[in-house]
Amino acid sequence: MTIVISPFVFGLIVLPFLHKIKLRFHKWVGIVPLVLFLTILKYKSSIINGNIVSEAYQWVPSFDVSLSFRLDGLSFIFALIITGIGFLVVIYSKKYMHSESAISRYFSYILLFMSSMLGVVLSNNLISLFVFWELTSISSYLLIGFWFYKEKSRYGAWKALLITAGGGLAMLAGFILMYTVTGSFEISQILSQKELIKSSPFYLTILVLTLIGSFTKSAQFPFHVWLPDAMEAPTPVSAYLHSATMVKAGIYLLARLNPVLGGSSYWFYMVTFTGILTMCYGSIMAIRQRDLKALLAFSTISQLGLITSLLGVSTETAVIGAVFHIINHAAFKGSLFMVTGIIDHEAGTRNLDELGGLGRKMPFTAVVALIGALAMAGIPPLNGFISKELFFEAVLVDGWAGYVLPALAVFGSIFTFIYSMIFVISPFLGTYKPKEKTVHEAPWGLLLSPMILGVTNLALGIYPKLVADIISKGAANILGKYVDAHLSLWHGFNVPLLMSLIVISFGCLLFSRLNYVKHIIEKIQMKKINLNKLYDLFQTGIPKFAGFITEKQMTGFLRDYLVYILSFVFLSVGLTSLFFMELSIPNLNLERIDVYEYVVAAIMVVSSIFLLFTRKRLIAILILGVIGYMVSLFFVLEKAPDLALTQLIVETITLVLFLIAFPHLPEITEENSKRSTKIINAAVSILTGLTVTFLMVYSKAYKIYESVSSYYIDNSLLLGGGKNIVNVILVDFRGFDTMGEITVLGIAAFSVYALIKLRLGGRKYE
Amino acid sequence: MEFLMALVVGVFFAVSIYFMLSKKLLKVVFGTLLISHAANLMLLTSGGLKGEKAPILSDGSTLSYADPIPQALILTAIVIGFGVTAFILVLTCRLYKTFATDDLSILRGEANEK
């Protein structure tokens, strides 16, 4: 399974290297996906026999993260689509991008994406799946922004990255919750513990987070906004990433985790209805588009919605339909994108208003487009018809949803039919419109890939049994039970066939009144709720909001910072402890206080309050001295001779220092602050003081741990060789702390010296 | 006794923070000086007061020692507090001399800071 890494190696090392030494290897890049395709195909018989190929390498074993790969029916189908379409896209790109000077870079990105996408579908570990998932977002970003000199490309690339990578983060949170429930990141182990997750209180959270990841990636409403803008990418990229593979990563995740998360009513309603609404929304919006690629983008949104809703229903029919439609959609949408690329390439425009009558000039392209469009519309005998029938059959569920879903399904499919017709009729039939007069059939290099896909569409439609066995395996992996898919073109006369007939007849009817239909859609379209505007609002609003907060907070005044910090301390520490602590009055030990202790405390309190009101500098300095000496007296009372001595010396020196500095000190003058500022200052100070008192009282009342002091008392003589425990701690046990202290004092001394020196030397200030 | 000290420390904190919120340089210096006293007293109190004798080993005595750890911490804190006080005191003098103002709201540096 290490083959997953091979495109990485080719894309990131071999290609740039060969480019450097001027070897034009990119002409042969197609070999990489082709070999991968054949290697994976080799496992077919083994997969059909129900085997699972797996391989694991340790990555971060301490976090249960491994590079483990697992190839079962579901992964097999995805891996074939990724490598198969990848091969065709590479062949197509070689011709399409031939005039591009940075083609080597282009193929590097494509291979990087191919590896990442294979990693997503083959990973057996949620974390490595996440890493590969985000790598697909990054390579998609690089490819959408390939023509980075275009403003719109950069916009589209950034939008796609923000939305899909953001959704990926939500998904990661979901994965981590899954880990906390099951104790494993390995998908195979999580699948075996599905009951545990379903009964867990986190089930709904996990489900919602994972769905956000999946819906953002698969462009489901309301996260679809990035996909139309992603059409700024070169057309082969749109064909590969934004219709056939990457946008199906979300679908893959839904399918992969269906056994674990699926089956609940939450799953059913959220997934099915998101899917079916996205389908209707996408197909209606597709009709309005003038740009062929935009039409296909909305059509992709709609088709992804269809698959999502099938996975939401997740009955046997639904899942078979979903898997089959994943294959079909990759085939027909891939070919249609390539046709768009051909039209763009040959006629020089993708605008429907400027296209028409191309059918006679480019008959092969027209035929391929017709096959693809008919498959998309669900017309027999093409593959799209079969999966659409399965879709109609699947939405006929019990209960009230059994009325709503089929109605919406038919409604959406009518519009799907219409835009499919627009795609094939507008550019190819009618009068010849392009400005370019010499339009001719595309070269074989461009035609080959869509033709192969067109043949696939036909083959799968006429002989669906070709893939029935692997679809059964894929569906079995999604449902977690044995499935036998019977696919056939003709199902007999039944309700789904009736629904198809309604779709086709209404579709033809409305298509003949196309302008009228467009007019109505334009009218209904709500101008107020524009999701793109909302996204742009976020883009400009978040920096604005951040700027506003910064402006308020970073004022540059010490006072404001202190007010913010202390208010936060009061709110977080003070209030929470008031709310959550038991408010029993602790034992105050009042009887143990001696009279002289009262005196010391009283002098300290009174002098500090007096300090507040004095206007004379000298008195203030003397009061500070009094407080300092009282503190040292307190140290004496509390049996701390070293402290008392130090405090006494320090206090004396401080006093001397103040007196030396006295002539240079400013007067204490009245502050010209606003009254409200003073009140806030007073409130903040008093509340902080109260918080401190409160904390001290309660920390005394709730002593949880034993003091570690006994260690020092016992070992002071033994290990430190001194009887004065405080001294031994300072110079022995915590010697480095004292070292730091001396350093600080030294720095302070140097700074003081420098400040004084600066004053003497810097005469220009005097 | 702890309760009494809790009150004293609370008052110290309130007064020193009120000083530090002031615009006047000298008051900020006073606040800094006072808050280091408050922190020292708080540390000592949190270790438990009313030890029966100083933490100096002596033989044959059954009296309990005062907790040595807060004392060791405070000793360091006193010295560092002194360093800080000396520094900001000189800094205050220097600022006042250089800019001829003791108002912090005027000492704002260049206008293009934003």
Side-chain angles (χ1 to χ4, degrees), chain A residues 518-533:
Chain A
K518 280 184 185 170
H519 181 68
I520 292 177
I521 294 171
E522 304 267 350
K523 262 196 168 171
I524 306 173
Q525 229 236 329
M526 288 169 291
K527 284 271 184 278
K528 278 176 191 164
I529 312 167
N530 189 331
L531 289 163
N532 278 310
K533 286 227 178 77

Side-chain angles (χ1 to χ4, degrees), chain A residues 303-594:
Chain A
Q303 301 282 337
L304 290 169
L306 186 155
I307 303 173
T308 305
S309 67
L310 280 173
L311 287 172
V313 174
S314 74
T315 54
E316 199 172 312
T317 319
V319 170
I320 294 170
V323 177
F324 195 35
H325 203 67
I326 288 168
I327 302 173
N328 295 342
H329 179 249
F332 67 68
K333 193 55 69 61
S335 72
L336 291 179
F337 264 109
M338 289 175 185
V339 165
T340 311
I342 291 175
I343 293 174
D344 196 7
H345 208 259
E346 302 302 328
T349 178
R350 300 192 308 249
N351 193 330
L352 279 171
D353 296 328
E354 297 167 19
L355 290 170
L358 289 175
R360 262 161 292 145
K361 300 266 185 179
M362 31 195 350
F364 289 110
T365 314
V367 169
V368 172
L370 181 70
I371 292 175
L374 290 182
M376 184 155 75
I379 310 285
L382 288 148
N383 52 358
F385 172 71
I386 304 173
S387 46
K388 195 129 240 183
E389 292 278 282
L390 287 166
F391 170 58
F392 286 148
E393 194 181 333
V395 292
L396 296 168
V397 291
D398 297 329
W400 62 270
Y403 299 100
V404 180
L405 288 180
L408 286 171
V410 169
F411 178 74
S413 300
I414 291 174
F415 290 100
T416 306
F417 180 85
I418 297 175
Y419 72 66
S420 305
M421 290 305 110
I422 293 176
F423 186 90
V424 72
I425 289 175
S426 286
F428 293 104
L429 298 183
T431 49
Y432 185 82
K433 283 187 202 160
K435 292 189 193 98
E436 186 95 34
K437 291 299 162 200
T438 55
V439 174
H440 43 72
E441 184 58 278
W444 283 107
L446 289 180
L447 266 179
L448 184 65
S449 299
M451 280 174 112
I452 292 176
L453 288 173
V455 170
T456 314
N457 286 331
L458 258 177
L460 289 181
I462 294 165
Y463 191 65
K465 288 201 169 48
L466 204 63
V467 288
D469 45 1
I470 62 167
I471 286 176
S472 308
K473 286 297 160 200
N477 291 135
I478 298 175
L479 285 173
K481 64 179 186 196
Y482 177 77
V483 176
D484 193 10
H486 296 285
L487 300 172
S488 58
L489 202 55
W490 180 245
H491 280 85
F493 291 103
N494 52 14
V495 184
L497 187 68
L498 183 68
M499 288 159 85
S500 283
L501 288 176
I502 295 175
V503 167
I504 294 172
S505 44
F506 266 90
C508 289
L509 185 70
L510 290 178
F511 184 71
S512 60
R513 301 267 183 284
L514 190 57
N515 285 332
Y516 184 64
V517 173
K518 280 184 185 170
H519 181 68
I520 292 177
I521 294 171
E522 304 267 350
K523 262 196 168 171
I524 306 173
Q525 229 236 329
M526 288 169 291
K527 284 271 184 278
K528 278 176 191 164
I529 312 167
N530 189 331
L531 289 163
N532 278 310
K533 286 227 178 77
L534 194 68
Y535 166 82
D536 292 337
L537 196 70
F538 269 114
Q539 281 282 290
T540 52
I542 289 174
K544 249 187 212 165
F545 181 68
F548 170 76
I549 294 283
T550 313
E551 203 105 310
K552 281 276 163 246
Q553 184 205 347
M554 307 292 279
T555 57
F557 292 117
L558 176 69
R559 183 252 167 196
D560 295 351
Y561 297 137
L562 275 179
V563 167
Y564 288 133
I565 294 169
L566 294 172
S567 312
F568 184 76
V569 167
F570 171 70
L571 290 176
S572 61
V573 180
L575 281 189
T576 43
S577 45
L578 256 182
F579 278 126
F580 295 109
M581 276 185 176
E582 304 163 51
L583 276 172
S584 58
I585 302 293
N587 182 12
L588 297 179
N589 286 339
L590 278 176
E591 74 283 1
R592 285 181 60 195
I593 304 176
D594 295 314

